[in-house]
mmCIF file of all heavy atoms in Angstrom:
data_model
loop_
_atom_site.group_PDB
_atom_site.id
_atom_site.type_symbol
_atom_site.label_atom_id
_atom_site.label_comp_id
_atom_site.label_asym_id
_atom_site.label_seq_id
_atom_site.Cartn_x
_atom_site.Cartn_y
_atom_site.Cartn_z
ATOM 1 N N ASP A 276 -61.761 -25.008 -45.781
ATOM 2 C CA ASP A 276 -62.384 -26.323 -45.655
ATOM 3 C C ASP A 276 -63.023 -26.818 -46.951
ATOM 4 O O ASP A 276 -63.690 -27.854 -46.967
ATOM 5 C CB ASP A 276 -63.424 -26.323 -44.531
ATOM 6 C CG ASP A 276 -64.506 -25.271 -44.737
ATOM 7 O OD1 ASP A 276 -64.296 -24.355 -45.548
ATOM 8 O OD2 ASP A 276 -65.559 -25.374 -44.091
ATOM 9 N N LEU A 277 -62.820 -26.092 -48.052
ATOM 10 C CA LEU A 277 -63.328 -26.516 -49.351
ATOM 11 C C LEU A 277 -62.199 -27.066 -50.214
ATOM 12 O O LEU A 277 -61.037 -26.710 -50.046
ATOM 13 C CB LEU A 277 -63.972 -25.339 -50.088
ATOM 14 C CG LEU A 277 -65.230 -24.715 -49.486
ATOM 15 C CD1 LEU A 277 -65.717 -23.571 -50.370
ATOM 16 C CD2 LEU A 277 -66.334 -25.746 -49.293
ATOM 17 N N THR A 278 -62.570 -27.939 -51.149
ATOM 18 C CA THR A 278 -61.613 -28.318 -52.182
ATOM 19 C C THR A 278 -61.547 -27.191 -53.211
ATOM 20 O O THR A 278 -62.419 -26.313 -53.257
ATOM 21 C CB THR A 278 -62.034 -29.609 -52.891
ATOM 22 O OG1 THR A 278 -63.280 -29.387 -53.557
ATOM 23 C CG2 THR A 278 -62.177 -30.768 -51.908
ATOM 24 N N VAL A 279 -60.508 -27.219 -54.038
ATOM 25 C CA VAL A 279 -60.390 -26.231 -55.104
ATOM 26 C C VAL A 279 -61.622 -26.302 -56.017
ATOM 27 O O VAL A 279 -62.187 -25.277 -56.396
ATOM 28 C CB VAL A 279 -59.106 -26.463 -55.925
ATOM 29 C CG1 VAL A 279 -59.095 -25.601 -57.184
ATOM 30 C CG2 VAL A 279 -57.879 -26.182 -55.069
ATOM 31 N N LYS A 280 -62.068 -27.519 -56.328
ATOM 32 C CA LYS A 280 -63.252 -27.691 -57.177
ATOM 33 C C LYS A 280 -64.486 -27.066 -56.538
ATOM 34 O O LYS A 280 -65.256 -26.348 -57.197
ATOM 35 C CB LYS A 280 -63.506 -29.172 -57.449
ATOM 36 C CG LYS A 280 -64.729 -29.430 -58.343
ATOM 37 C CD LYS A 280 -64.957 -30.915 -58.566
ATOM 38 C CE LYS A 280 -66.136 -31.143 -59.510
ATOM 39 N NZ LYS A 280 -67.398 -30.520 -59.044
ATOM 40 N N SER A 281 -64.681 -27.308 -55.237
ATOM 41 C CA SER A 281 -65.843 -26.747 -54.538
ATOM 42 C C SER A 281 -65.781 -25.227 -54.513
ATOM 43 O O SER A 281 -66.798 -24.548 -54.646
ATOM 44 C CB SER A 281 -65.930 -27.302 -53.116
ATOM 45 O OG SER A 281 -66.119 -28.696 -53.132
ATOM 46 N N MET A 282 -64.568 -24.687 -54.338
ATOM 47 C CA MET A 282 -64.398 -23.238 -54.320
ATOM 48 C C MET A 282 -64.753 -22.647 -55.686
ATOM 49 O O MET A 282 -65.441 -21.618 -55.783
ATOM 50 C CB MET A 282 -62.949 -22.911 -53.957
ATOM 51 C CG MET A 282 -62.655 -21.432 -53.735
ATOM 52 S SD MET A 282 -63.379 -20.764 -52.228
ATOM 53 C CE MET A 282 -64.360 -19.440 -52.917
ATOM 54 N N LEU A 283 -64.327 -23.316 -56.738
ATOM 55 C CA LEU A 283 -64.632 -22.845 -58.086
ATOM 56 C C LEU A 283 -66.116 -23.002 -58.412
ATOM 57 O O LEU A 283 -66.719 -22.130 -59.040
ATOM 58 C CB LEU A 283 -63.782 -23.600 -59.102
ATOM 59 C CG LEU A 283 -62.279 -23.291 -59.072
ATOM 60 C CD1 LEU A 283 -61.514 -24.251 -59.975
ATOM 61 C CD2 LEU A 283 -62.004 -21.856 -59.497
ATOM 62 N N ASP A 284 -66.712 -24.113 -57.962
ATOM 63 C CA ASP A 284 -68.148 -24.311 -58.168
ATOM 64 C C ASP A 284 -68.943 -23.204 -57.473
ATOM 65 O O ASP A 284 -69.898 -22.657 -58.040
ATOM 66 C CB ASP A 284 -68.595 -25.666 -57.599
ATOM 67 C CG ASP A 284 -68.102 -26.845 -58.427
ATOM 68 O OD1 ASP A 284 -67.716 -26.632 -59.595
ATOM 69 O OD2 ASP A 284 -68.111 -27.976 -57.896
ATOM 70 N N TYR A 285 -68.552 -22.896 -56.258
ATOM 71 C CA TYR A 285 -69.242 -21.863 -55.475
ATOM 72 C C TYR A 285 -69.141 -20.508 -56.179
ATOM 73 O O TYR A 285 -70.125 -19.782 -56.325
ATOM 74 C CB TYR A 285 -68.627 -21.809 -54.078
ATOM 75 C CG TYR A 285 -69.218 -20.759 -53.158
ATOM 76 C CD1 TYR A 285 -70.582 -20.704 -52.920
ATOM 77 C CD2 TYR A 285 -68.398 -19.834 -52.524
ATOM 78 C CE1 TYR A 285 -71.130 -19.745 -52.073
ATOM 79 C CE2 TYR A 285 -68.924 -18.871 -51.677
ATOM 80 C CZ TYR A 285 -70.289 -18.827 -51.460
ATOM 81 O OH TYR A 285 -70.821 -17.870 -50.632
ATOM 82 N N HIS A 286 -67.940 -20.187 -56.642
ATOM 83 C CA HIS A 286 -67.737 -18.911 -57.323
ATOM 84 C C HIS A 286 -68.516 -18.870 -58.641
ATOM 85 O O HIS A 286 -69.110 -17.838 -58.988
ATOM 86 C CB HIS A 286 -66.241 -18.709 -57.593
ATOM 87 C CG HIS A 286 -65.880 -17.340 -58.056
ATOM 88 N ND1 HIS A 286 -65.800 -16.261 -57.213
ATOM 89 C CD2 HIS A 286 -65.580 -16.862 -59.305
ATOM 90 C CE1 HIS A 286 -65.470 -15.175 -57.900
ATOM 91 N NE2 HIS A 286 -65.327 -15.510 -59.168
ATOM 92 N N GLU A 287 -68.535 -19.972 -59.343
ATOM 93 C CA GLU A 287 -69.252 -20.037 -60.620
ATOM 94 C C GLU A 287 -70.746 -19.789 -60.440
ATOM 95 O O GLU A 287 -71.410 -19.220 -61.314
ATOM 96 C CB GLU A 287 -69.021 -21.413 -61.250
ATOM 97 C CG GLU A 287 -69.451 -21.531 -62.685
ATOM 98 C CD GLU A 287 -69.072 -22.870 -63.298
ATOM 99 O OE1 GLU A 287 -67.973 -23.391 -62.984
ATOM 100 O OE2 GLU A 287 -69.873 -23.392 -64.101
ATOM 101 N N SER A 288 -71.266 -20.175 -59.282
ATOM 102 C CA SER A 288 -72.703 -20.018 -59.013
ATOM 103 C C SER A 288 -73.123 -18.556 -58.864
ATOM 104 O O SER A 288 -74.313 -18.254 -58.891
ATOM 105 C CB SER A 288 -73.090 -20.797 -57.747
ATOM 106 O OG SER A 288 -72.564 -20.170 -56.576
ATOM 107 N N PHE A 289 -72.162 -17.655 -58.694
ATOM 108 C CA PHE A 289 -72.490 -16.229 -58.540
ATOM 109 C C PHE A 289 -73.011 -15.614 -59.841
ATOM 110 O O PHE A 289 -73.662 -14.572 -59.814
ATOM 111 C CB PHE A 289 -71.256 -15.424 -58.113
ATOM 112 C CG PHE A 289 -70.687 -15.802 -56.768
ATOM 113 C CD1 PHE A 289 -69.389 -15.420 -56.435
ATOM 114 C CD2 PHE A 289 -71.419 -16.521 -55.843
ATOM 115 C CE1 PHE A 289 -68.848 -15.747 -55.205
ATOM 116 C CE2 PHE A 289 -70.887 -16.850 -54.611
ATOM 117 C CZ PHE A 289 -69.597 -16.469 -54.287
ATOM 118 N N TYR A 290 -72.691 -16.225 -60.975
ATOM 119 C CA TYR A 290 -72.931 -15.590 -62.262
ATOM 120 C C TYR A 290 -74.041 -16.284 -63.045
ATOM 121 O O TYR A 290 -74.135 -17.515 -63.051
ATOM 122 C CB TYR A 290 -71.636 -15.579 -63.088
ATOM 123 C CG TYR A 290 -70.510 -14.875 -62.371
ATOM 124 C CD1 TYR A 290 -69.549 -15.595 -61.658
ATOM 125 C CD2 TYR A 290 -70.424 -13.484 -62.372
ATOM 126 C CE1 TYR A 290 -68.530 -14.940 -60.972
ATOM 127 C CE2 TYR A 290 -69.399 -12.829 -61.696
ATOM 128 C CZ TYR A 290 -68.467 -13.565 -60.997
ATOM 129 O OH TYR A 290 -67.467 -12.921 -60.313
ATOM 130 N N LYS A 291 -74.837 -15.483 -63.726
ATOM 131 C CA LYS A 291 -75.903 -16.026 -64.569
ATOM 132 C C LYS A 291 -75.319 -16.613 -65.851
ATOM 133 O O LYS A 291 -75.860 -17.573 -66.403
ATOM 134 C CB LYS A 291 -76.912 -14.924 -64.906
ATOM 135 C CG LYS A 291 -77.698 -14.429 -63.698
ATOM 136 C CD LYS A 291 -78.666 -13.324 -64.086
ATOM 137 C CE LYS A 291 -79.410 -12.798 -62.853
ATOM 138 N NZ LYS A 291 -80.339 -11.690 -63.195
ATOM 139 N N LYS A 292 -74.223 -16.040 -66.336
ATOM 140 C CA LYS A 292 -73.593 -16.534 -67.558
ATOM 141 C C LYS A 292 -72.882 -17.853 -67.298
ATOM 142 O O LYS A 292 -72.493 -18.164 -66.152
ATOM 143 C CB LYS A 292 -72.618 -15.498 -68.113
ATOM 144 C CG LYS A 292 -71.413 -15.259 -67.224
ATOM 145 C CD LYS A 292 -70.516 -14.162 -67.773
ATOM 146 C CE LYS A 292 -69.852 -14.555 -69.047
ATOM 147 N NZ LYS A 292 -68.872 -13.547 -69.528
ATOM 148 N N ASP A 293 -72.681 -18.620 -68.316
ATOM 149 C CA ASP A 293 -71.996 -19.907 -68.202
ATOM 150 C C ASP A 293 -70.483 -19.668 -68.206
ATOM 151 O O ASP A 293 -69.901 -19.268 -69.217
ATOM 152 C CB ASP A 293 -72.393 -20.816 -69.367
ATOM 153 C CG ASP A 293 -71.815 -22.217 -69.237
ATOM 154 O OD1 ASP A 293 -71.070 -22.468 -68.267
ATOM 155 O OD2 ASP A 293 -72.100 -23.059 -70.108
ATOM 156 N N CYS A 294 -69.848 -19.896 -67.059
ATOM 157 C CA CYS A 294 -68.404 -19.655 -66.911
ATOM 158 C C CYS A 294 -67.597 -20.949 -67.009
ATOM 159 O O CYS A 294 -66.361 -20.904 -66.904
ATOM 160 C CB CYS A 294 -68.112 -19.020 -65.548
ATOM 161 S SG CYS A 294 -69.032 -17.532 -65.184
ATOM 162 N N HIS A 295 -68.272 -22.071 -67.175
ATOM 163 C CA HIS A 295 -67.587 -23.347 -66.977
ATOM 164 C C HIS A 295 -66.502 -23.603 -68.023
ATOM 165 O O HIS A 295 -65.408 -24.095 -67.686
ATOM 166 C CB HIS A 295 -68.594 -24.502 -66.979
ATOM 167 C CG HIS A 295 -68.019 -25.765 -66.423
ATOM 168 N ND1 HIS A 295 -67.795 -25.954 -65.075
ATOM 169 C CD2 HIS A 295 -67.579 -26.901 -67.042
ATOM 170 C CE1 HIS A 295 -67.268 -27.145 -64.868
ATOM 171 N NE2 HIS A 295 -67.120 -27.743 -66.053
ATOM 172 N N LYS A 296 -66.779 -23.259 -69.281
ATOM 173 C CA LYS A 296 -65.790 -23.504 -70.333
ATOM 174 C C LYS A 296 -64.519 -22.703 -70.067
ATOM 175 O O LYS A 296 -63.404 -23.241 -70.155
ATOM 176 C CB LYS A 296 -66.372 -23.142 -71.692
ATOM 177 C CG LYS A 296 -65.398 -23.380 -72.844
ATOM 178 C CD LYS A 296 -66.004 -22.968 -74.181
ATOM 179 C CE LYS A 296 -64.986 -23.151 -75.303
ATOM 180 N NZ LYS A 296 -65.537 -22.708 -76.616
ATOM 181 N N ARG A 297 -64.678 -21.424 -69.735
ATOM 182 C CA ARG A 297 -63.514 -20.577 -69.466
ATOM 183 C C ARG A 297 -62.789 -21.050 -68.219
ATOM 184 O O ARG A 297 -61.554 -21.064 -68.187
ATOM 185 C CB ARG A 297 -63.954 -19.116 -69.304
ATOM 186 C CG ARG A 297 -62.805 -18.131 -69.102
ATOM 187 C CD ARG A 297 -61.793 -18.220 -70.213
ATOM 188 N NE ARG A 297 -60.765 -17.185 -70.103
ATOM 189 C CZ ARG A 297 -59.575 -17.282 -70.680
ATOM 190 N NH1 ARG A 297 -59.261 -18.355 -71.399
ATOM 191 N NH2 ARG A 297 -58.693 -16.302 -70.542
ATOM 192 N N ARG A 298 -63.528 -21.441 -67.217
ATOM 193 C CA ARG A 298 -62.922 -21.981 -65.993
ATOM 194 C C ARG A 298 -62.051 -23.192 -66.316
ATOM 195 O O ARG A 298 -60.908 -23.287 -65.841
ATOM 196 C CB ARG A 298 -64.025 -22.366 -65.011
ATOM 197 C CG ARG A 298 -63.579 -23.315 -63.904
ATOM 198 C CD ARG A 298 -64.748 -23.786 -63.091
ATOM 199 N NE ARG A 298 -64.443 -24.979 -62.320
ATOM 200 C CZ ARG A 298 -65.293 -25.581 -61.470
ATOM 201 N NH1 ARG A 298 -66.507 -25.064 -61.285
ATOM 202 N NH2 ARG A 298 -64.944 -26.674 -60.823
ATOM 203 N N LYS A 299 -62.557 -24.099 -67.116
ATOM 204 C CA LYS A 299 -61.813 -25.312 -67.455
ATOM 205 C C LYS A 299 -60.530 -24.971 -68.209
ATOM 206 O O LYS A 299 -59.467 -25.544 -67.948
ATOM 207 C CB LYS A 299 -62.697 -26.232 -68.303
ATOM 208 C CG LYS A 299 -62.071 -27.584 -68.604
ATOM 209 C CD LYS A 299 -63.028 -28.471 -69.382
ATOM 210 C CE LYS A 299 -62.377 -29.826 -69.686
ATOM 211 N NZ LYS A 299 -63.291 -30.696 -70.473
ATOM 212 N N GLU A 300 -60.616 -23.998 -69.138
ATOM 213 C CA GLU A 300 -59.432 -23.569 -69.897
ATOM 214 C C GLU A 300 -58.357 -23.022 -68.964
ATOM 215 O O GLU A 300 -57.167 -23.338 -69.112
ATOM 216 C CB GLU A 300 -59.824 -22.494 -70.902
ATOM 217 C CG GLU A 300 -60.690 -22.971 -72.051
ATOM 218 C CD GLU A 300 -61.209 -21.835 -72.908
ATOM 219 O OE1 GLU A 300 -61.019 -20.657 -72.529
ATOM 220 O OE2 GLU A 300 -61.817 -22.121 -73.954
ATOM 221 N N LEU A 301 -58.776 -22.213 -68.007
ATOM 222 C CA LEU A 301 -57.830 -21.592 -67.084
ATOM 223 C C LEU A 301 -57.187 -22.626 -66.162
ATOM 224 O O LEU A 301 -55.978 -22.572 -65.900
ATOM 225 C CB LEU A 301 -58.538 -20.518 -66.260
ATOM 226 C CG LEU A 301 -58.963 -19.264 -67.034
ATOM 227 C CD1 LEU A 301 -59.987 -18.465 -66.239
ATOM 228 C CD2 LEU A 301 -57.756 -18.399 -67.366
ATOM 229 N N VAL A 302 -57.982 -23.564 -65.661
ATOM 230 C CA VAL A 302 -57.467 -24.615 -64.773
ATOM 231 C C VAL A 302 -56.397 -25.429 -65.500
ATOM 232 O O VAL A 302 -55.337 -25.741 -64.939
ATOM 233 C CB VAL A 302 -58.611 -25.519 -64.278
ATOM 234 C CG1 VAL A 302 -58.063 -26.799 -63.646
ATOM 235 C CG2 VAL A 302 -59.478 -24.770 -63.275
ATOM 236 N N GLU A 303 -56.649 -25.748 -66.774
ATOM 237 C CA GLU A 303 -55.685 -26.527 -67.551
ATOM 238 C C GLU A 303 -54.435 -25.711 -67.852
ATOM 239 O O GLU A 303 -53.306 -26.210 -67.733
ATOM 240 C CB GLU A 303 -56.341 -27.001 -68.848
ATOM 241 C CG GLU A 303 -57.413 -28.064 -68.627
ATOM 242 C CD GLU A 303 -58.104 -28.472 -69.926
ATOM 243 O OE1 GLU A 303 -57.776 -27.891 -70.992
ATOM 244 O OE2 GLU A 303 -58.967 -29.364 -69.865
ATOM 245 N N LYS A 304 -54.621 -24.447 -68.217
ATOM 246 C CA LYS A 304 -53.486 -23.589 -68.565
ATOM 247 C C LYS A 304 -52.557 -23.380 -67.370
ATOM 248 O O LYS A 304 -51.333 -23.367 -67.500
ATOM 249 C CB LYS A 304 -53.989 -22.244 -69.081
ATOM 250 C CG LYS A 304 -52.922 -21.328 -69.651
ATOM 251 C CD LYS A 304 -53.498 -20.015 -70.126
ATOM 252 C CE LYS A 304 -54.320 -20.163 -71.358
ATOM 253 N NZ LYS A 304 -53.500 -20.312 -72.587
ATOM 254 N N LEU A 305 -53.150 -23.220 -66.185
ATOM 255 C CA LEU A 305 -52.376 -22.940 -64.979
ATOM 256 C C LEU A 305 -51.979 -24.205 -64.221
ATOM 257 O O LEU A 305 -51.329 -24.123 -63.181
ATOM 258 C CB LEU A 305 -53.174 -22.012 -64.062
ATOM 259 C CG LEU A 305 -53.446 -20.616 -64.619
ATOM 260 C CD1 LEU A 305 -54.463 -19.872 -63.760
ATOM 261 C CD2 LEU A 305 -52.158 -19.810 -64.710
ATOM 262 N N LYS A 306 -52.409 -25.373 -64.739
ATOM 263 C CA LYS A 306 -52.077 -26.656 -64.119
ATOM 264 C C LYS A 306 -52.485 -26.675 -62.640
ATOM 265 O O LYS A 306 -51.691 -26.982 -61.740
ATOM 266 C CB LYS A 306 -50.585 -26.956 -64.265
ATOM 267 C CG LYS A 306 -50.140 -27.128 -65.710
ATOM 268 C CD LYS A 306 -48.653 -27.442 -65.816
ATOM 269 C CE LYS A 306 -48.248 -27.828 -67.219
ATOM 270 N NZ LYS A 306 -48.586 -26.839 -68.245
ATOM 271 N N LEU A 307 -53.755 -26.373 -62.402
ATOM 272 C CA LEU A 307 -54.305 -26.310 -61.046
ATOM 273 C C LEU A 307 -55.021 -27.608 -60.720
ATOM 274 O O LEU A 307 -55.876 -28.071 -61.475
ATOM 275 C CB LEU A 307 -55.278 -25.129 -60.945
ATOM 276 C CG LEU A 307 -55.876 -24.816 -59.581
ATOM 277 C CD1 LEU A 307 -54.782 -24.453 -58.570
ATOM 278 C CD2 LEU A 307 -56.882 -23.673 -59.693
#
C-alpha cells in the first residue's frame, strides 16, 4: 500500500547516516 518513494523514505529513516544521495544515484541507475 506504499509508493516506491514512500517505501524508500521509510527505509531511509532507519539510518542515522544520510543515505539520500546514494539512494538517488541508485534509483537513476536502475531506472526505478
Side-chain angles (χ1 to χ4, degrees):
D276 57 343
L277 295 180
T278 63
V279 170
K280 180 181 183 303
S281 297
M282 187 71 237
L283 291 171
D284 288 342
Y285 179 54
H286 191 77
E287 192 174 322
S288 71
F289 297 163
Y290 302 98
K291 293 179 182 178
K292 67 183 293 186
D293 185 358
C294 306
H295 195 74
K296 180 182 177 182
R297 184 55 174 159
R298 162 187 162 177
K299 186 177 180 181
E300 291 172 352
L301 291 164
V302 166
E303 290 177 358
K304 188 181 289 283
L305 295 169
K306 296 181 171 56
L307 185 61

